[in-house]
Amino acid sequence: MSSLLRQHSQASNWLERSLIRRDIKRGWRAKLKAQRAERTHQLSWTGHGIDNYRMHALAAAQRQNDPRVDEDRRRRDADALARHYADKRDRILGNEHLTEVEKGIALDGLDAATVFPEYKPGELFSRAHKVRGIEALRYRAQVARARDTAGFPRPLPRPMPHVDAGSRSRDEQLERLHTPAPDGVAAAVDDRKPFVALVGPADVIHLEEHEYASVPHQDRDRLQRFATREQAYEWTLAQLDTYRTTSSRAGQDFTASIRELGRSNSSQIVSGPLGMVTDEVRGLYGEHQRRQDHARQADQPQACPAGQPPDTSAAQDRFADIERRLSEITADRDRLSNRVGILQRGLDAVTADRDEVNRKLANANGQIEALKNRNLRMAAEIEELRQQPNVDRVAAERDRYKRERDEAVTKLAQQTPREQRYGSRERAEFDKLGNTERWSRQTETADDPQARADAAAREEYGRAIAEQMSADFAKVHGDIYDEPKLREFAREWLTNAAEQHREQKTNGTERNGQQRNGTERSR
């Protein structure tokens, strides 16, 4: 790139300059593309590294909660996790491809993976370009604290615009300083006023020349040189007060910087809301004054009179002050230890409650699953019942079965002889005692008229008894003709009929040798 710039400066005509500018643009685009690819790779690598650390922390936490793991293994896990954390932190802090905000986001994700390893962090840097204001300052402060903890030196601040030689022309700097001077005395001014103070809105300081011309005068940035740092602090505070009352950008972020020319590590830069910048500059001014007072006191040694020992009261007071501070630090440490113990006990109680809740939740989930299975089974049974034939179809089938039964009974009766049919007159001829012996027809003779009359009477009597008994049997047992039931019913029926006949005969009252028939009128 430097060779192309040199060729461009040495070009003799417009065509050569145009071609060289094209090569410069092509090279610059290739360089930017390579930088973007490397930056994307570094962001992806950082995210994968944090996820790997989270898996390590999750495994260590599970072993910490496992009662089967001994104390030695837990201590080794804790040491390995601490070394892994320190390695990831150092890699993040030393990565030059990440901005300060992205480093803070990565450190925040690392801390989250340490405390809550069961939750995945997701895409850490997806919204890093939208972090602004107080949130960005918080991430930068987190990175600064991590550097102090790890022993990393803080990076030197970048030089502010409008201050570096060559950033603007000398005439423009003199015009914005409001201290025009001839060319011959410029070096003398720089030697007498080495401290440069710059203050103004953050978005105005970085504007280009054609954009800066449209900014109102009360909103422009202001730059001035001073002989001492105290004057620079006082002027900066006064300008911030002026911005607060006159500027239309008082609600935006401001930047204030104080540096000493010729010393690259002497810059002090503060950025943020106007009130915060004012407080920071005032604090830096107070700290500078205290350092100056201590330096003046150290440069003025106290002389002791001759013959008298040096006064050691100051040293004793200093030792007493150190001991007092040490006792305060010890007390703070003990108080913090007690608080940590209280928090640890509370954490143990919360963990126990969490385990109990998880157990109850598992039982409830089991019961819910059982109820779900039962509901599914009942729904299947209901569906099967719905698919079965309805009541009308069942009634039709019942009637059909009845008809088939009646037809079968009729067919059976037709095929059975009358002497063996249930309920027939021939089978129902029982004697008066109720036994099942039938009257023999062999005694009947066709020649005896009395015998024929008796046989006809007995047949008529037996037919009446059989019809009555069959009707009663049908009332009790329906149309089902079962031989054991019919035999038992006939025996009971005849026995009951005989007993009723005897009771009527015994209880009947007679008068004048005549039995009362119930038609007589009472006297």
Side-chain angles (χ1 to χ4, degrees):
M1 186 65 67
S2 60
S3 62
L4 291 175
L5 291 175
R6 185 169 57 254
Q7 293 176 9
H8 184 272
S9 63
Q10 296 175 358
S12 59
N13 54 32
W14 175 83
L15 180 59
E16 293 181 1
R17 286 194 296 270
S18 177
L19 295 176
I20 294 173
R21 281 198 300 270
R22 185 183 63 184
D23 295 338
I24 291 174
K25 292 179 180 178
R26 186 183 296 112
W28 183 251
R29 284 195 296 268
K31 186 176 181 180
L32 289 179
K33 183 178 180 180
Q35 289 180 355
R36 284 194 295 268
E38 181 64 22
R39 176 178 166 79
T40 303
H41 172 71
Q42 292 295 329
L43 291 175
S44 177
W45 176 84
T46 303
H48 286 302
I50 293 175
D51 191 64
N52 293 336
Y53 172 78
R54 182 188 67 83
M55 297 300 295
H56 184 188
L58 180 61
Q62 291 176 353
R63 284 195 293 269
Q64 288 287 337
N65 296 328
D66 192 354
R68 296 172 296 179
V69 179
D70 56 355
E71 188 65 27
D72 188 20
R73 178 59 186 274
R74 294 180 181 179
R75 183 171 61 255
R76 284 189 281 110
D77 289 343
D79 296 339
L81 187 64
R83 289 193 299 270
H84 196 177
Y85 178 86
D87 179 68
K88 291 298 179 183
R89 180 197 59 196
D90 297 344
R91 289 177 180 270
I92 291 172
L93 294 177
N95 196 335
E96 298 179 354
H97 298 276
L98 301 182
T99 63
E100 294 296 310
V101 174
E102 290 171 346
K103 291 179 181 178
I105 293 174
L107 292 175
D108 197 8
L110 201 62
D111 294 338
T114 304
V115 181
F116 305 105
E118 62 274 8
Y119 298 106
K120 292 185 179 181
E123 295 294 334
L124 292 175
F125 308 103
S126 60
R127 298 178 60 84
H129 62 284
K130 296 185 179 181
V131 177
R132 295 289 186 275
I134 300 299
E135 190 175 3
L137 291 177
R138 183 177 67 83
Y139 284 129
R140 293 192 184 98
Q142 186 174 4
V143 174
R145 289 193 297 269
R147 284 199 178 96
D148 294 341
T149 303
F152 276 71
R154 294 194 179 186
L156 299 177
R158 293 180 298 177
M160 295 299 297
H162 312 322
V163 178
D164 296 336
S167 62
R168 292 182 184 270
S169 64
R170 180 178 177 280
D171 295 337
E172 184 180 357
Q173 290 184 8
L174 293 177
E175 180 182 358
R176 298 186 64 183
L177 287 172
H178 302 288
T179 55
D183 297 340
V185 298
V189 172
D190 292 341
D191 293 338
R192 289 185 290 106
K193 297 180 179 181
F195 295 97
V196 180
L198 173 66
V199 62
D203 54 349
V204 174
I205 292 178
H206 301 278
L207 291 178
E208 298 295 336
E209 296 296 332
H210 62 282
E211 298 175 349
Y212 187 79
S214 61
V215 178
H217 181 74
Q218 66 272 13
D219 295 337
R220 295 184 178 183
D221 57 341
R222 301 169 189 179
L223 184 146
Q224 187 62 272
R225 293 174 178 167
F226 301 94
T228 61
R229 191 178 288 272
E230 290 84 355
Q231 296 176 357
Y233 280 125
E234 293 175 357
W235 179 84
T236 302
L237 292 173
Q239 297 303 319
L240 291 173
D241 293 338
T242 304
Y243 279 122
R244 184 180 293 105
T245 56
T246 61
S247 176
S248 61
R249 301 173 182 260
Q252 301 179 6
D253 290 347
F254 275 72
T255 298
S257 67
I258 299 174
R259 61 174 298 186
E260 184 178 357
L261 296 178
R263 295 181 61 187
S264 59
N265 58 348
S266 63
S267 299
Q268 293 179 336
I269 304 174
V270 181
S271 298
L274 182 58
M276 189 192 76
V277 173
T278 304
D279 295 338
E280 291 289 338
V281 173
R282 190 175 289 111
L284 293 175
Y285 186 24
E287 184 179 357
H288 176 71
Q289 288 180 341
R290 286 192 295 272
R291 286 199 301 267
Q292 294 294 329
D293 294 339
H294 287 303
R296 284 194 297 268
Q297 292 178 3
D299 293 339
Q300 296 177 0
Q302 296 181 359
C304 296
Q308 293 184 3
D311 189 7
T312 60
S313 59
Q316 293 178 357
D317 293 341
R318 183 178 180 183
F319 284 131
D321 189 15
I322 293 174
E323 291 178 355
R324 181 178 55 81
R325 292 183 181 180
L326 182 60
S327 62
E328 291 178 357
I329 292 173
T330 304
D332 293 339
R333 183 197 62 188
D334 297 338
R335 184 174 64 256
L336 292 176
S337 299
N338 294 333
R339 184 172 180 82
V340 168
I342 294 172
L343 293 176
Q344 185 64 36
R345 289 191 294 273
L347 180 61
D348 296 340
V350 171
T351 304
D353 294 341
R354 181 200 62 189
D355 296 339
E356 182 67 20
V357 171
N358 290 337
R359 185 182 62 80
K360 293 182 179 179
L361 180 60
N363 296 335
N365 290 333
Q367 295 178 2
I368 290 173
E369 292 296 331
L371 292 176
K372 286 182 179 179
N373 296 333
R374 182 182 177 185
N375 290 339
L376 293 175
R377 187 172 62 255
M378 295 180 67
E381 293 177 357
I382 292 173
E383 186 66 22
E384 291 178 359
L385 292 176
R386 288 178 177 175
Q387 294 177 359
Q388 291 180 358
N390 51 15
V391 179
D392 297 336
R393 185 178 300 175
V394 173
E397 292 180 357
R398 183 197 61 188
D399 298 338
R400 181 169 59 83
Y401 293 149
K402 277 188 175 182
R403 288 194 302 272
E404 293 177 357
R405 183 202 62 187
D406 295 340
E407 293 175 356
V409 170
T410 303
K411 186 176 181 181
L412 180 62
Q414 291 175 358
Q415 295 177 357
T416 304
R418 295 184 62 86
E419 291 80 4
Q420 298 179 5
R421 294 179 188 174
Y422 295 108
S424 63
R425 291 190 300 271
E426 290 78 2
R427 193 180 179 103
E429 292 178 354
F430 296 102
D431 56 356
K432 296 181 180 180
L433 298 177
N435 55 7
T436 59
E437 297 180 358
R438 297 178 175 87
W439 289 297
S440 174
R441 298 181 180 272
Q442 297 178 359
T443 59
E444 299 178 0
T445 59
D447 299 334
D448 191 358
Q450 184 65 32
R452 288 198 300 270
D454 293 341
R458 285 196 300 270
E459 185 177 358
E460 185 67 24
Y461 181 74
R463 187 182 299 109
I465 291 176
E467 292 178 356
Q468 184 64 35
M469 185 177 60
S470 178
D472 293 343
F473 180 80
K475 289 180 182 180
V476 175
H477 297 284
D479 296 338
I480 300 174
Y481 293 93
D482 190 5
E483 184 175 357
K485 290 184 180 181
L486 183 60
R487 186 182 299 112
E488 183 179 359
F489 180 79
R491 184 181 297 108
E492 292 179 357
W493 189 83
L494 293 174
T495 303
N496 294 334
E499 290 178 357
Q500 292 178 1
H501 180 71
R502 285 195 296 269
E503 289 178 359
Q504 291 179 0
K505 191 173 182 179
T506 304
N507 296 333
T509 58
E510 297 182 355
R511 184 166 48 87
N512 298 326
Q514 300 284 336
Q515 184 178 1
R516 298 182 61 181
N517 53 11
T519 58
E520 297 181 353
R521 291 184 298 176
S522 60
R523 296 179 181 272

